[in-house]
Amino acid sequence: MTVSERITDALFRFRFAAMVAFAVLILGLAAGIPRLEFSSDSRGFFGRGNSEFVEVLQIEDTYTVSNTLLLMVVPPPGSAFATDTLKTLQEMTEDAWQMPYALRVDSAINHMHSYAQDDDILVEPMLDEEAEITPEAAERFRELAMASDSLRNTLLSEKGDAYGITMRVILPKEEDKAVARRDVEEFLRQLRSDWQASYPGWQVHVAGGLLGNSLLAQVAIEDIQYLVPVALLAVVVLFTLALGSVAAVAASVVVLVCATSATFGFAGWANVALTAGTAIGPLAVMVLVSTSCVHIVLGTIRAAEAGREGDPFRYAIAQNIAPVTVSHLTTAFGFLCLNFAPSPPLAQMGNIVAFGLLVGHLSVFVLLPMLLHTAYPRRASRLMVGGQRMRQFARWVLVRRRIWLMLFPVAGGLAVFGIFRLDYDDNVIRYFDQRYELRQDAEAIQQQLTGLETMQFNLQAPEGQSVFEPEFLKAVDRFAVWLEAQPEVVAVSSLPRIIKDLNKSMNGDAEDAYAIAKTQPANAQLLMFYELSLPVGMDLNVMMDVDRTQTLLTATLRSPHSSVVRTLAQDAEAWLGRNEPQIATRAAGMAIAFARISQRNNSQMLFGFLTVLGIVSLTLIVTLRSLRHGVISLVPNLVPALLAFGLWGWFMGDLNLGSTVVTTMTFGIVVDDTVHFLMHYLRERRRGMKVEAALEETFAVVGSSITLTSIALILGFGIMSASGFSINQHIGMLTATVIAFALLSDLFLLPALLRTFQGKSL
């Protein structure tokens, strides 16, 4: 009696005790489901060791930071500066002040305009908020607004046909933040609805990081509510058509529900706050565990058809316990290696799926025997390909083995060129599908009004000096001028710009006075007068630290791609190093942090891939008891990822955070079919069969099962690509593509390799 047979015998002998222990385990884990929480913070994608994120936190510790919401309101065509339009904008600005937790509301109406009166600097809104808006006042506003560099491309579009209203919001402490966020969102929904009803012909669009964070949690909930049930239904339909056994399908569904519930419960007990990037973990567990059920059920059918003595169900379990165990272990290894990812949600997803697979493994070999030991399927479905046809297919493949041995290397070469076309694109807004209103609004705002990404530079004054030092301000100003000239930059906010405006105002608006004051006290005095005139909610701590030794320069970007952000950051850092080395610093901000996250993740996931490659290779060599076949098995397991990413490069082009983990994640998955194929093939060879006969027998016995399991995986991960979150879309589509190529590799390339390189001895 083999080890597999002894384990199978023990499973059946103690199945009642095992079932009781298993039920306690599942119920205990499922009790964690009510503890599940959903994260609504895009910053969760960054680990504390991420240098770009650390720089963001340092800036927030130094300067006054708040949540900013931006509304773009577009009046009817041709009426942007009409008196009625400005009155409406005035009313909208007043309405926006009713926002809960609002610190400051800014629009073109109350935008500060500075001018000198005698020896004083006066800072007043462009329009008197109390006075009636006359045609003369409207014309003066138009002239001031269109001439204002600080207004255009921020609160007024370049063409003057759209307005922006910004709302700075300070949320309460962490324990009350969720309630406050809901209050803000509800206010915005009602405000938008009221404006659209009260001001026909106006368009209203809303964007902001706070809304994006809330949408993250919403997408996670939607994926669980819709994708998991749809995937389960798809698996049920597929199994019903292919297995031809109601009992087998029902038992498999119970196994999948138990494994999925335990996975959700584990996340709850582990205090993992599910995000849009981790919520699909239980779905992956369900799809992966379903393939093991297929192998056992089809093995039972084959044993019954062959008329083997004894219980066909026990025989199927004994034959599959080793390959299924290896498959689950290698897949779990692959997901555990996601811990090399510097992004916490990816590491958390890896841990969730790995744990779920272990529970799924117990479900398959404890629960499935209990459910099917007397009601196992005894006949094959009409739709399943019979053993004889699979033998014919095997002969057809082997006759053309030289074609496959040439075709796959050629395809691999083309894939390499496709891989060189790949680039990384990570942007929080573009993570969301076009179906979401926030994505539509954000694109409308970027197209017509302003950019939604910012790049920040924290500039340090020389030691012992303040930010009012003329030479320091001139250096900062030269850098700001260079930034403004870059095509993707729509606006630059800098301290020198304010000082130059003030100095010009103090000198009768003379053009030659638009310059930095010549002394440090003069610059400090200008800013002191300016700051004293600012209204409530506005201060200069957004761009100067308390000690006045650092200043923050902010560039607003309208970028179509993360590569543009990365290139601009590199060019800006290089320009500072060459031209203003005394103030040189790194570009910072969430835009650059996200723009670089996939590059960072991809480089660190290389260690994850090498780790899983080593672990899986050693596992296969030990399992197959053959160094030669262990090495051969790596070829059809490495080729699929190469072909999938090459195809992606030719037709899609962009990768994101989800794409970077697919190679490591799928390497353990694609081993499943290879292990079943090779273990059965070697079993027949060790019984004395020749190569061709062993391959034909392997196709006849496991060909249908590896085809069906691959289809189930492609279907399940394909459904994942219907997520509204592009990280999940990329994981789903790329994984499905990898598995499709893995099936082709196992059916065409692997037999050709075995036939060509198989020696006389094992």
Side-chain angles (χ1 to χ4, degrees):
M1 183 179 290
T2 64
V3 174
S4 296
E5 289 171 339
R6 286 197 293 270
I7 294 174
T8 302
D9 183 65
L11 284 173
F12 276 85
R13 190 184 320 140
F14 302 108
R15 63 178 180 270
F16 291 106
M19 185 63 194
V20 171
F22 178 77
V24 171
L25 174 66
I26 294 298
L27 291 174
L29 288 170
I33 293 177
R35 295 169 53 90
L36 280 175
E37 294 182 353
F38 293 89
S39 172
S40 56
D41 188 356
S42 61
R43 297 175 173 219
F45 286 99
F46 299 96
R48 287 290 172 178
N50 184 292
S51 59
E52 287 83 12
F53 184 53
V54 169
E55 289 168 354
V56 170
L57 296 178
Q58 289 172 345
I59 287 175
E60 291 181 351
D61 288 340
T62 305
Y63 303 95
T64 301
V65 177
S66 59
N67 289 289
T68 301
L69 298 164
L70 173 61
L71 290 84
M72 180 179 75
V73 290
V74 184
S79 65
F81 296 103
T83 55
D84 288 343
T85 296
L86 296 181
K87 289 177 183 177
T88 298
L89 184 60
Q90 193 176 57
E91 293 170 3
M92 288 178 166
T93 305
E94 292 174 359
D95 291 343
W97 271 107
Q98 305 306 312
M99 163 72 75
Y101 314 104
L103 174 66
R104 176 70 192 170
V105 174
D106 288 295
S107 72
I109 292 293
N110 63 1
H111 185 70
M112 292 297 118
H113 168 62
S114 63
Y115 63 96
Q117 190 174 73
D118 298 327
D119 293 331
D120 295 326
I121 293 179
L122 300 182
V123 181
E124 296 178 350
M126 284 191 172
L127 273 176
D128 189 331
E129 297 176 89
E130 303 297 332
E132 180 182 357
I133 301 177
T134 63
E136 292 77 17
E139 177 58 25
R140 181 176 179 274
F141 171 80
R142 186 191 67 79
E143 292 174 356
L144 289 174
M146 293 304 293
S148 173
D149 291 332
S150 60
L151 191 62
R152 280 184 293 109
N153 289 321
T154 54
L155 298 178
L156 177 66
S157 65
E158 183 74 29
K159 296 179 181 179
D161 58 356
Y163 291 101
I165 300 174
T166 61
M167 293 178 285
R168 292 172 57 197
V169 176
I170 300 292
L171 296 181
K173 293 182 179 180
E174 197 66 37
E175 57 267 21
D176 302 318
K177 189 173 289 186
V179 175
R181 186 182 288 112
R182 285 195 295 270
D183 291 343
V184 169
E185 292 171 1
E186 181 56 37
F187 176 85
L188 283 174
R189 278 192 293 269
Q190 189 60 50
L191 185 68
R192 182 176 193 160
S193 177
D194 291 344
W195 284 357
Q196 289 173 335
S198 301
Y199 309 118
W202 284 69
Q203 299 177 34
V204 182
H205 302 278
V206 187
L210 186 149
L211 300 178
N213 287 338
S214 294
L215 188 54
L216 278 174
Q218 178 186 330
V219 171
I221 295 171
E222 287 180 358
D223 283 354
I224 292 174
Q225 287 179 334
Y226 300 113
L227 296 189
V228 173
V230 168
L232 180 60
L233 178 62
V235 169
V236 169
V237 172
L238 178 64
F239 285 6
T240 301
L241 293 174
L243 300 180
S245 168
V246 174
V249 172
S252 298
V253 168
V254 173
V255 168
L256 300 184
V257 169
C258 287
T260 306
S261 300
T263 306
F264 276 120
F266 168 74
W269 286 118
N271 294 319
V272 174
L274 295 181
T275 68
T278 56
I280 47 87
L283 185 153
V285 170
M286 182 178 66
V287 174
L288 292 167
V289 172
S290 70
T291 63
S292 302
C293 297
V294 170
H295 282 299
I296 292 176
V297 172
L298 285 181
T300 304
I301 292 172
R302 293 302 185 200
E305 285 181 334
R308 292 186 178 276
E309 295 182 5
D311 185 343
F313 188 60
R314 285 197 182 206
Y315 176 82
I317 291 179
Q319 293 297 303
N320 283 282
I321 194 169
V324 167
T325 300
V326 171
S327 172
H328 283 164
L329 286 176
T330 55
T331 303
F333 287 147
F335 278 95
L336 285 174
C337 283
L338 297 190
N339 281 280
F340 284 94
S343 180
L346 297 178
Q348 290 167 353
M349 184 184 73
N351 295 333
I352 289 171
V353 175
F355 182 85
L357 282 172
L358 296 180
V359 176
H361 188 72
L362 294 176
S363 300
V364 170
F365 291 107
V366 174
L367 185 56
L368 196 62
M370 188 70 183
L371 297 174
L372 284 181
H373 74 281
T374 58
Y376 53 80
R378 301 170 186 272
R379 63 179 180 83
S381 167
R382 292 173 299 158
L383 299 180
M384 267 187 0
V385 179
Q388 188 56 38
R389 288 191 177 182
M390 290 304 295
R391 291 179 191 276
Q392 294 172 357
F393 178 68
R395 287 192 286 270
W396 183 84
V397 169
L398 292 172
V399 167
R400 293 162 178 79
R401 66 182 183 277
R402 291 186 177 85
I403 296 177
W404 318 131
L405 292 174
M406 291 187 294
L407 181 61
F408 276 88
V410 170
L414 292 173
V416 170
F417 286 103
I419 289 173
F420 282 119
R421 295 166 58 91
L422 292 171
D423 200 357
Y424 303 101
D425 186 25
D426 287 274
N427 177 280
V428 175
I429 290 298
R430 288 194 292 275
Y431 275 166
F432 300 112
D433 194 77
Q434 289 280 358
R435 76 188 75 166
Y436 295 109
E437 190 173 49
L438 179 63
R439 169 72 182 270
Q440 299 167 19
D441 283 348
E443 292 186 345
I445 290 172
Q446 292 195 96
Q447 182 177 359
Q448 193 166 355
L449 179 63
T450 186
L452 292 177
E453 296 180 299
T454 59
M455 187 177 295
Q456 298 167 317
F457 297 87
N458 188 23
L459 305 169
Q460 176 75 49
E463 186 175 354
Q465 298 180 2
S466 73
V467 295
F468 307 122
E469 177 64 36
E471 292 306 315
F472 170 75
L473 287 170
K474 289 176 182 178
V476 174
D477 190 47
R478 286 190 290 269
F479 179 50
V481 170
W482 179 86
L483 272 176
E484 287 173 333
Q486 307 312 304
E488 55 272 15
V489 176
V490 297
V492 175
S493 171
S494 68
L495 193 61
R497 169 64 55 79
I498 295 175
I499 291 177
K500 291 196 296 183
D501 283 337
L502 294 171
N503 204 31
K504 180 180 177 181
S505 298
M506 287 293 292
N507 289 276
D509 287 334
E511 289 298 328
D512 59 355
Y514 186 67
I516 305 295
K518 295 181 180 180
T519 66
Q520 179 172 316
N523 289 316
Q525 188 175 34
L526 284 170
L527 282 173
M528 181 187 70
F529 287 148
Y530 176 76
E531 195 163 16
L532 289 174
S533 302
L534 291 176
V536 176
M538 290 186 68
D539 59 53
L540 288 177
N541 289 334
V542 296
M543 63 171 59
M544 288 192 297
D545 69 332
V546 175
D547 296 329
R548 301 311 193 232
T549 59
Q550 300 175 70
T551 182
L552 188 68
L553 184 148
T554 302
T556 301
L557 316 178
R558 184 186 285 124
S559 70
H561 198 281
S562 290
S563 62
V564 175
V565 179
R566 291 193 298 272
T567 301
L568 176 61
Q570 292 168 1
D571 291 346
E573 291 165 357
W575 189 93
L576 279 172
R578 289 193 308 270
N579 298 281
E580 308 292 346
Q582 72 278 14
I583 63 168
T585 187
R586 279 169 49 90
M590 294 303 293
I592 187 62
F594 270 103
R596 287 173 172 166
I597 190 172
S598 283
Q599 281 185 323
R600 181 183 299 276
N601 196 69
N602 193 50
S603 61
Q604 293 190 225
M605 281 308 300
L606 176 62
F607 295 101
F609 174 70
L610 293 176
T611 301
V612 73
L613 176 63
I615 292 174
V616 170
S617 300
L618 182 61
T619 302
L620 289 175
I621 291 171
V622 172
T623 302
L624 299 174
R625 292 180 291 164
S626 169
L627 176 62
R628 179 196 310 153
H629 291 94
V631 173
I632 289 175
S633 70
L634 294 178
V635 177
N637 293 329
L638 290 170
V639 165
L642 173 68
L643 297 180
F645 277 91
L647 187 68
W648 193 271
W650 282 111
F651 292 99
M652 300 296 288
D654 288 333
L655 301 174
N656 64 23
L657 192 57
S659 320
T660 59
V661 302
V662 167
T663 301
T664 301
M665 187 184 82
T666 58
F667 190 74
I669 298 175
V670 299
V671 166
D672 177 54
D673 291 345
T674 306
V675 166
H676 280 86
F677 192 100
L678 279 174
M679 290 193 75
H680 193 279
Y681 165 76
L682 290 175
R683 189 181 299 121
E684 300 303 330
R685 286 281 285 141
R686 286 167 180 145
R687 288 175 180 171
M689 279 192 179
K690 293 184 177 180
V691 174
E692 291 85 351
L695 285 171
E696 290 180 19
E697 180 66 17
T698 301
F699 267 84
V701 174
V702 303
S704 296
S705 61
I706 65 175
T707 301
L708 180 57
T709 56
S710 295
I711 292 173
L713 289 171
I714 293 169
L715 187 62
F717 282 99
I719 289 171
M720 187 187 297
S721 68
S723 169
F725 196 59
S726 69
I727 287 180
N728 296 343
Q729 291 174 357
H730 280 216
I731 290 177
M733 285 189 285
L734 262 174
T735 302
T737 306
V738 169
I739 293 168
F741 280 124
L743 176 62
L744 296 177
S745 298
D746 285 328
L747 293 180
F748 294 95
L749 180 59
L750 181 57
L753 289 172
L754 291 172
R755 176 63 184 83
T756 302
F757 298 105
Q758 178 64 65
K760 293 183 180 180
S761 62
L762 297 179

